[in-house]
Amino acid sequence: MLQLSDALTGGDDLDAENALERVMTGLWFGLVSRATAVGALADVPIARAAMYDCLRTMCEAIAHVTWITARPPDMLARAVCIELGQAKADVHNRRRLVTIQNAPWISDQIRSAFRHSLEEGERAEELVRVDHATPCPRCRGRGRGEGTASSWLRDRASRRDAAVEDVNRYTIWVWCSAYAHQLAPQLHTREEANYVDLPEVRAQQAVGWAMQLLLTSTPEIAYALRPDAADDIRGVRTWWERDMVERYPWLRSHLVGGRRD
């Protein structure tokens, strides 16, 4: 993980100076945090099922990354669309919390705090709208929200010229979404008994998927943040796929996404 981070940043901090850099940096940190969590959860059998939640969000983050880089001339404008989508979602969630403050035991101080939080979110959304094109042919003024991730991943995966990465990302997203919903109780039921922990083979699979998602998305993030890092990132990926697979042969079967029972 550290080698990949150094390859992307050149050993320096990532300074976000515009919407494109802010969004891409945030997505990068999010991907690294989830991939790290997958590795940590793999070492705790009772926690392994939570790896699927992390993998699902990694796929959704990559959907935003690839939507931005799909049209290089529009990357900055598309990043603003994502910022607006995130700001709108934040306001929506804060407003939902305000509307339930009806129980008589809720103090005026608590109600006031929630209203103040909503006002802060609304001001943040207005600041984003200042930079957002109107009308916007990319998101029709609605922003690019989380609900668009699955359809974008699906559309890229279903093209006749789809890349391996596109098919894998959608495959991983589908299976991990299914596993994450209602905690996928069927995963904990085995022929001989019921267990809280998941088998080692599933932990290995999840680690392989996490590394695959991180390694294949980092070049796309670098395209927007630091194009001259491409060779360094490619070197890290080659090293991981060669040396790590030789050290841990079981990873070879997890380099391509998909279900493995």
Side-chain angles (χ1 to χ4, degrees):
M1 203 82 70
L2 180 60
Q3 292 95 327
L4 193 61
S5 180
D6 287 343
L8 174 62
T9 65
D12 299 325
D13 292 333
L14 290 172
D15 296 324
E17 298 180 355
N18 55 45
L20 176 60
E21 294 177 355
R22 284 194 302 271
V23 170
M24 283 298 200
T25 301
L27 291 170
W28 162 249
F29 290 150
L31 286 164
V32 170
S33 70
R34 270 58 173 191
T36 303
V38 168
L41 291 167
D43 293 331
V44 185
I46 198 172
R48 284 174 179 166
M51 293 188 290
Y52 297 119
D53 302 69
C54 295
L55 289 166
R56 184 176 189 264
T57 57
M58 288 182 73
C59 292
E60 292 171 350
I62 292 171
H64 286 326
V65 170
T66 54
W67 185 74
I68 290 175
T69 58
R71 290 187 60 85
D74 288 342
M75 287 198 298
L76 178 58
R78 287 187 169 215
V80 177
C81 291
I82 290 179
E83 275 198 327
L84 177 59
Q86 292 174 336
K88 286 185 61 179
D90 185 43
V91 169
H92 174 68
N93 289 330
R94 295 184 191 210
R95 184 173 292 117
R96 291 166 71 186
L97 296 178
V98 168
T99 60
I100 59 136
Q101 305 298 314
N102 298 318
W105 54 264
I106 299 177
S107 68
D108 291 340
Q109 182 179 5
I110 291 176
R111 292 190 180 95
S112 177
F114 275 95
R115 287 194 297 270
H116 180 68
S117 174
L118 174 58
E119 291 168 358
E120 286 184 336
E122 289 173 337
R123 285 194 293 270
E125 180 184 347
E126 287 305 313
L127 288 175
V128 176
R129 286 191 180 278
V130 171
D131 296 328
H132 189 259
T134 305
C136 179
R138 303 166 191 86
C139 69
R140 300 180 182 178
R142 295 192 293 263
R144 187 78 177 176
E146 297 302 324
T148 61
S150 60
S151 59
W152 176 255
L153 292 171
R154 180 199 62 216
D155 291 347
R156 286 176 66 90
S158 61
R159 297 182 309 183
R160 292 187 63 85
D161 62 344
V164 172
E165 287 84 359
D166 292 323
V167 176
N168 288 344
R169 290 162 180 169
Y170 184 63
T171 302
I172 294 171
W173 182 85
V174 168
W175 286 121
C176 290
S177 296
Y179 294 154
H181 290 161
Q182 298 185 24
L183 307 182
Q186 72 276 17
L187 294 183
H188 304 280
T189 303
R190 309 178 200 169
E191 292 182 0
E192 67 276 17
N194 298 327
Y195 294 92
V196 173
D197 60 303
L198 298 186
E200 179 69 20
V201 66
R202 288 192 176 274
Q204 294 175 354
Q205 179 191 57
V207 170
W209 282 357
M211 289 307 300
Q212 178 197 69
L213 291 172
L214 190 61
L215 286 165
T216 60
S217 61
T218 304
E220 293 171 283
I221 293 173
Y223 183 66
L225 288 179
R226 188 170 172 260
D228 59 340
D231 289 341
D232 291 338
I233 293 171
R234 192 176 300 111
V236 173
R237 179 175 179 178
T238 300
W239 164 80
W240 187 82
E241 291 181 346
R242 182 185 64 244
D243 296 347
M244 295 301 287
V245 169
E246 289 179 0
R247 190 176 307 174
Y248 305 106
W250 56 263
L251 281 173
R252 188 181 306 280
S253 61
H254 303 304
L255 289 178
V256 176
R259 188 180 186 185
R260 182 183 177 193
D261 294 320

